[in-house]
Amino acid sequence: MGDDLGDEWWTHEGNSGASEAEEETHVEKQPTEKPNAKIKPEKRKSVTEKTVKAKKTKKNEQKECIITQKKEIEDEKSTKPKRKRKKTITDVLSSSEPKPGCPADLQSLVTQYFSDKRSVIEQEELKLLDSCFLSSNDLTHTLSSYLKQVCPKWSKIQKQHTEKSSVVLLIVCSSALRTIELIKQLTAFKGEAKALKLFAKHIKIEEQVKLLQKGVTHIGVGTPGRISALIEKEGLGLQALRYVVLDWNWRDQKLRRMVDVPEVKLDFMKLLENGILNGCKEDKIKIGLF
C-alpha cells in the first residue's frame, strides 16, 4: 500500500512538473510570437483612423465657415435699406385717370419753360388770352369730329386758300407714325383739301420744300422739329395759317404725351417761338388742344 501510494505520488508529481514546464514554455513563447505579428498593423490602423478623422473635421469646419459667411451676407443684405426707385411718368399716369388738356396746361408749360430764359416783363408778354384758344377735346372726339366742331366753315375756307408754301391748318404731333395715323383720321373732314406729311423720317427737308412750292397745300401734319426747320428755311410760311391743333391728349406706349418727351418738348417750344405765339397775339392764329 505504502509503495503504491509513493509511486503514484511521484509519478503524478513528475507529470505535473513536466506539464508546468510545458505551460511555462508555452506562456513564454506567446509574448514573443504575438508582438511581432500584431503590434504593427494596430499602429497602421490607428494612424489611418486619425488622418480620416482629421480630414473629416477639416471638411466640417470649412462647411461651417462657408455657411456662417453666407448667413452673414444674407443678414447684411436684409439689414441694408432698399433704395426706392424713382417714380417715372409712366408710374404716375398708370395709377391716375387721364384728364383732358386745357389752355391753362399749355400756358403753365410756356411759363415754366421760359422762367429762366426771359425777363419778368418778357414773360408777361408770353401770356395768351382765352380768345387765342379753340375749344379743347374732352376725350370723346375723333380728330374729324373735333375739327368739324372747331372749324365749322372748313369747306369755304379751303376753297379760298390759294397760297403756295403755306397751310391753313397745322396739326402738331410727337412722331412720324402718329402723323400717318392722324392723316388717315382726316378723311371724314378734309374733303377735297390736300394734306402733307411734315416729319423727318425717310423724307428729306428739300423734298418737302419742293412739294409745298409745287401746289396748294391746305393741311400740314407733322412733328414740331421738322415743322420748325421748314419755317426757319422759309419752306413753310405762316401767312395763311389760321389753326394750330396740338395732339395734346394722345399717349404713347409709355403713357407719355407729346410734351412729356424731353426732345419733342424742346422742339415744340422752339416752334411756338418761331411765329406761333406772335400769330396768336395778333389774333391771326387759334390754338386747339386735341
Side-chain angles (χ1 to χ4, degrees):
M1 292 291 290
D3 292 337
D4 293 335
L5 287 168
D7 291 337
E8 288 178 3
W9 179 76
W10 283 111
T11 53
H12 180 72
E13 190 176 5
N15 291 332
S16 65
S19 63
E20 284 176 1
E22 285 176 1
E23 285 177 1
E24 285 177 0
T25 55
H26 182 69
V27 169
E28 286 177 358
K29 285 179 182 178
Q30 281 180 352
T32 56
E33 290 175 0
K34 285 181 180 177
N36 293 329
K38 293 184 179 179
I39 287 168
K40 289 182 181 178
E42 282 178 0
K43 285 182 180 179
R44 287 176 186 173
K45 283 181 182 179
S46 62
V47 170
T48 53
E49 284 176 0
K50 283 180 182 179
T51 53
V52 169
K53 284 180 180 179
K55 286 180 180 178
K56 284 182 179 179
T57 53
K58 282 183 181 179
K59 284 182 180 179
N60 291 330
E61 285 175 0
Q62 287 176 355
K63 285 180 181 179
E64 286 176 0
C65 289
I66 292 165
I67 291 164
T68 51
Q69 285 176 359
K70 284 182 179 179
K71 283 182 180 179
E72 286 175 1
I73 293 165
E74 287 175 0
D75 292 337
E76 285 178 3
K77 285 181 180 179
S78 61
T79 53
K80 281 183 181 179
K82 291 181 180 179
R83 291 182 181 179
K84 290 183 179 179
R85 188 173 67 88
K86 289 182 180 180
K87 285 187 176 181
T88 60
I89 295 167
T90 307
D91 295 331
V92 175
L93 294 174
S94 61
S95 60
S96 61
E97 293 183 1
K99 294 180 181 179
C102 61
D105 295 333
L106 177 59
Q107 190 65 67
S108 63
L109 181 70
V110 172
T111 304
Q112 184 181 2
Y113 178 78
F114 290 108
S115 61
D116 58 345
K117 297 176 180 63
R118 301 287 180 90
S119 65
V120 177
I121 296 169
E122 287 174 333
Q123 287 180 39
E124 287 293 325
E125 292 175 356
L126 291 172
K127 287 184 178 179
L128 300 174
L129 299 174
D130 292 339
S131 59
C132 296
F133 293 94
L134 301 167
S135 61
S136 300
N137 179 21
D138 58 359
L139 304 182
T140 60
H141 285 284
T142 63
L143 181 59
S144 289
S145 65
Y146 174 72
L147 291 175
K148 284 177 181 178
Q149 180 183 332
V150 297
C151 307
K153 298 179 180 179
W154 175 249
S155 58
K156 183 180 179 181
I157 291 168
Q158 70 164 355
K159 286 177 183 178
Q160 292 175 347
H161 175 61
T162 57
E163 292 186 39
K164 295 180 180 180
S165 300
S166 186
V167 295
V168 179
L169 171 61
L170 195 59
I171 301 171
V172 185
C173 59
S174 60
S175 66
L177 288 173
R178 182 60 179 164
T179 299
I180 294 166
E181 287 178 12
L182 291 174
I183 287 175
K184 288 177 181 178
Q185 293 179 27
L186 281 171
T187 51
F189 167 77
K190 69 175 184 177
E192 295 178 0
K194 183 183 177 182
L196 188 64
K197 295 176 285 188
L198 303 176
F199 54 76
K201 194 172 184 180
H202 307 306
I203 303 173
K204 292 180 180 179
I205 193 167
E206 291 79 12
E207 292 177 7
Q208 290 170 338
V209 171
K210 287 179 181 179
L211 288 170
L212 287 164
Q213 291 173 346
K214 190 175 180 180
V216 177
T217 305
H218 304 85
I219 305 169
V221 187
T223 56
R226 177 48 62 93
I227 294 169
S228 186
L230 286 166
I231 293 169
E232 288 175 358
K233 286 200 170 190
E234 297 182 354
L236 177 65
L238 302 179
Q239 60 274 12
L241 184 63
R242 294 183 62 175
Y243 305 104
V244 175
V245 174
L246 308 177
D247 189 27
W248 188 272
N249 297 302
W250 182 82
R251 299 181 187 276
D252 62 11
Q253 291 180 347
K254 295 182 180 179
L255 301 178
R256 299 176 302 178
R257 300 172 302 173
M258 176 176 66
V259 293
D260 293 327
V261 183
E263 55 271 21
V264 179
K265 179 182 174 181
L266 287 173
D267 291 337
F268 173 64
M269 301 310 295
K270 190 177 179 181
L271 175 60
L272 292 180
E273 284 185 285
N274 283 341
I276 302 296
L277 290 176
N278 288 333
C280 291
K281 284 183 181 182
E282 294 171 1
D283 202 25
K284 292 179 180 179
I285 300 172
K286 303 284 185 183
I287 297 176
L289 275 65
F290 170 65

